[in-house]
Amino acid sequence: MVNFKKNSLAPISALKYLFKKPHTVRYPKEDLNVFYLKGVSPRYRGLHTNDLSKCIGCGSCAKVCPANAIMMVESKDVKPANKFAKTVRPVIDYGRCCFCGQCVDVCPTRSLQMSREYIHSFHPKLSTSSEKEPETVVEDFIWRPDQTHADNPGYVRT
Amino acid sequence: MELRPLNVSNTNDKYKTYELFIGPNHPGISGNFSYVLDMEGHKVANVTPDPGLLHRGFEKLMERRLWTQNLALIPRICVPEPDVNEVAYCMGVEHLAGIEIPKHAQYIRVIVLEMARIAAFLFSFAGLGGSTGLYTAPNWSIGDRDYILDLFEWLTGGRVYHIYQYPGGVKKDIPDGWLDKLLELLDYLESRLPEYDNLIFRNPILQKRTKGVGYLPAEKAIKNGITGPNLRASGIKWDIRKAQPYLVYDELNFDIPITGEGDAFARTLQRRLELEESIKILRQCANQIPDGPYKVKIPNPFQFRVPAGSYYSKVESSKGEFGYYIVSDGDVKPYRVYVRGPSYSVGLYYANEIMRGMRIEDVPVWIHTMDICPPDFDR
């Protein structure tokens, strides 16, 4: 229970808070030091990674996506894994993605995973003309996941 | 020209009342919700709740999505405490589909719910501090809440919207070393409680501002369907965790504290006392959680058909009874889902009654001590 007794020294005890460290971290200089890995959680749901040789192009991720952010696009640079596999691969629109991780849960080959990369802002080069700027941003936002972030795995289906 | 004498009030009806809009751009209100107040001097003469800014059509959206796809959507219904939505929905779906979830998963659900409850209580202290001008309270409680969010991030991968529950259990098991960190955090939170008492509850200014404000008698609370800490602060011992135990609450040892005064101060104190009980529950869970599987296998989302029927599943949230009425017609999508948010009866219905005659500076205090969460009812 709460103690409602009065104490005349109580205001002086507030001085100790002057010497406490803040709750926040100074982000670019410091990083969170809560988990056994530096930075965000080991299960963080960040940008996707896709093992293009393992993926069979079944399209389950596109079907289950609650935000309709995934489309299956024909890719010429991949080989089908077996005779039933297709050569379409998921392309993710990060403007629509809500990072819920359901595409990872449903992936039958476990090729689609999520990484701990979370910065998905893209800056077009200063030389880009204003007419071409939307296209450049779209190119960066609608992106076919590959092994770019595979060295930093986050949310992985177990 | 004849001047009106200074001591005679203006009797012209046109200027008797003026309209005051308290909306999302005011610091006193929580969420994108607004009240239109008709003021007589500094007293509220009439109040019109003005919902609509926050309406996102959740219930209709849920009818167009698969049973499991909805889990990415429903945490958005209650922003400060999203886990109650996931758990209540999953419990309803499991009851309809006849799935019995393992003990280990039930304990994880209780841990998640109680952590969310503590986080929501800390958030409500921040709201009270903001509405009474005690700005140290938000700094402290939001800072401490963040340590809970850190543990949530480790367990689930998300800080605010966890998307962690799944029909049949939870998505992932507890990681190694997580429970030790949880016990450490509970020790820390418990050591902070006397400091919160000194800052908030023993503060004479805050006591003066909250005592006697927004008095809610027990009969009116029952009549208006108010639940949770607000009802218990009026002196009625009703808690779904005790009255109709779900998950493993019947195996845990905890009390329901009661403060009977029914005013704004009692409601805040009620939350502070319940926070202590939640710490007790979490300690027990961390010590007696059994080993075992964390989920049972369910069919893949495209084939997951829930047998026809309807069920009302409810969970005690930090604001009151949070219910999901789920109707299934045996398809891969729900036929109808109705959400019963705990703030509905307070923020929309009882507000009309209690706000009349209230002073204008008491309105934000009333909103924050009632812990009104507008996304609950304006969804």
Side-chain angles (χ1 to χ4, degrees), chain B residues 209-274:
Chain B
R209 285 285 281 110
T210 52
K211 275 191 176 165
V213 170
Y215 175 63
L216 171 66
E219 320 81 70
K220 279 204 173 157
I222 293 176
K223 199 178 142 213
N224 288 290
I226 294 167
T227 47
N230 300 331
L231 177 69
R232 294 195 281 278
S234 295
I236 298 197
K237 203 165 185 166
W238 172 259
D239 190 317
I240 305 172
R241 289 177 291 172
K242 278 276 186 201
Q244 299 161 356
Y246 51 94
L247 298 175
V248 288
Y249 277 112
D250 47 351
E251 294 174 15
L252 301 166
N253 179 25
F254 62 100
D255 304 325
I256 307 294
I258 296 280
T259 54
E261 285 85 24
D263 58 358
F265 186 72
R267 286 194 286 271
T268 320
L269 193 62
Q270 174 76 29
R271 293 195 165 81
R272 150 75 180 78
L273 298 177
E274 286 186 19

Side-chain angles (χ1 to χ4, degrees), chain B residues 74-326:
Chain B
I74 53 176
R76 273 99 179 155
I77 292 179
C78 182
V79 184
E81 198 189 9
D83 301 281
V84 283
N85 297 284
E86 299 178 36
V87 172
Y89 178 79
C90 285
M91 275 164 53
V93 173
E94 281 153 11
H95 184 271
L96 284 175
I99 301 168
E100 183 82 27
I101 72 163
K103 223 50 235 179
H104 186 67
Q106 294 190 18
Y107 267 93
I108 297 178
R109 277 190 184 175
V110 170
I111 289 176
V112 168
L113 279 180
E114 292 301 321
M115 276 170 68
R117 191 187 313 278
I118 292 181
F121 284 157
L122 289 173
F123 211 70
S124 80
F125 296 160
L128 179 78
S131 62
T132 50
L134 182 67
Y135 291 117
T136 319
N139 289 345
W140 281 16
S141 51
I142 298 276
D144 284 342
R145 175 179 174 265
D146 243 51
Y147 296 122
I148 299 174
L149 297 192
D150 280 344
L151 284 190
F152 267 136
E153 189 184 336
W154 192 357
L155 177 67
T156 66
R159 281 182 91 78
V160 176
Y161 298 128
H162 310 127
I163 316 181
Y164 180 58
Q165 313 291 339
Y166 206 69
V170 291
K171 273 194 179 174
K172 279 181 181 259
D173 206 354
I174 291 181
D176 296 336
W178 189 84
L179 284 172
D180 301 329
K181 280 268 180 192
L182 175 67
L183 289 171
E184 260 175 50
L185 176 78
L186 294 178
D187 290 340
Y188 168 75
L189 283 177
E190 208 158 49
S191 71
R192 292 279 285 173
L193 285 179
E195 301 184 19
Y196 276 105
D197 293 347
N198 280 339
L199 177 75
I200 303 175
F201 300 101
R202 291 171 65 191
N203 188 332
I205 301 172
L206 189 126
Q207 287 188 15
K208 258 215 158 108
R209 285 285 281 110
T210 52
K211 275 191 176 165
V213 170
Y215 175 63
L216 171 66
E219 320 81 70
K220 279 204 173 157
I222 293 176
K223 199 178 142 213
N224 288 290
I226 294 167
T227 47
N230 300 331
L231 177 69
R232 294 195 281 278
S234 295
I236 298 197
K237 203 165 185 166
W238 172 259
D239 190 317
I240 305 172
R241 289 177 291 172
K242 278 276 186 201
Q244 299 161 356
Y246 51 94
L247 298 175
V248 288
Y249 277 112
D250 47 351
E251 294 174 15
L252 301 166
N253 179 25
F254 62 100
D255 304 325
I256 307 294
I258 296 280
T259 54
E261 285 85 24
D263 58 358
F265 186 72
R267 286 194 286 271
T268 320
L269 193 62
Q270 174 76 29
R271 293 195 165 81
R272 150 75 180 78
L273 298 177
E274 286 186 19
L275 202 156
E276 221 167 305
E277 292 301 316
S278 288
I279 292 176
K280 217 162 98 188
I281 295 174
L282 277 174
R283 272 227 180 85
Q284 287 176 40
C285 285
N287 289 325
Q288 55 178 268
I289 182 166
D291 289 332
Y294 60 93
K295 66 172 178 189
V296 287
K297 222 172 156 24
I298 61 161
N300 85 43
F302 311 112
Q303 256 82 51
F304 184 46
R305 283 169 205 278
V306 173
S310 64
Y311 184 62
Y312 178 68
S313 65
K314 54 188 173 185
V315 167
E316 178 78 24
S317 82
S318 71
K319 296 161 182 63
E321 175 186 324
F322 213 114
Y324 269 76
Y325 181 65
I326 302 171

Side-chain angles (χ1 to χ4, degrees), chain A residues 1-5 17 23 34-35 40-41 43-45 60 63-66 100 102 105 155-156 158, chain B residues 65 68-69 140 143 147 150 153-157 161-163 171-173 195 201-202 269 294 302:
Chain A
M1 285 298 279
V2 183
N3 177 14
F4 282 108
K5 268 191 214 157
Y17 298 108
H23 293 295
V34 185
F35 317 108
V40 290
S41 152
R43 288 179 179 178
Y44 194 81
R45 299 190 295 259
S60 295
K63 244 196 274 174
V64 85
C65 181
C100 63
Q102 297 205 356
D105 291 334
Y155 187 80
V156 177
T158 46
Chain B
R65 273 145 217 263
T68 55
Q69 271 184 334
W140 281 16
Y147 296 122
D150 280 344
E153 189 184 336
W154 192 357
L155 177 67
T156 66
Y161 298 128
H162 310 127
I163 316 181
K171 273 194 179 174
K172 279 181 181 259
D173 206 354
E195 301 184 19
F201 300 101
R202 291 171 65 191
L269 193 62
Y294 60 93
F302 311 112

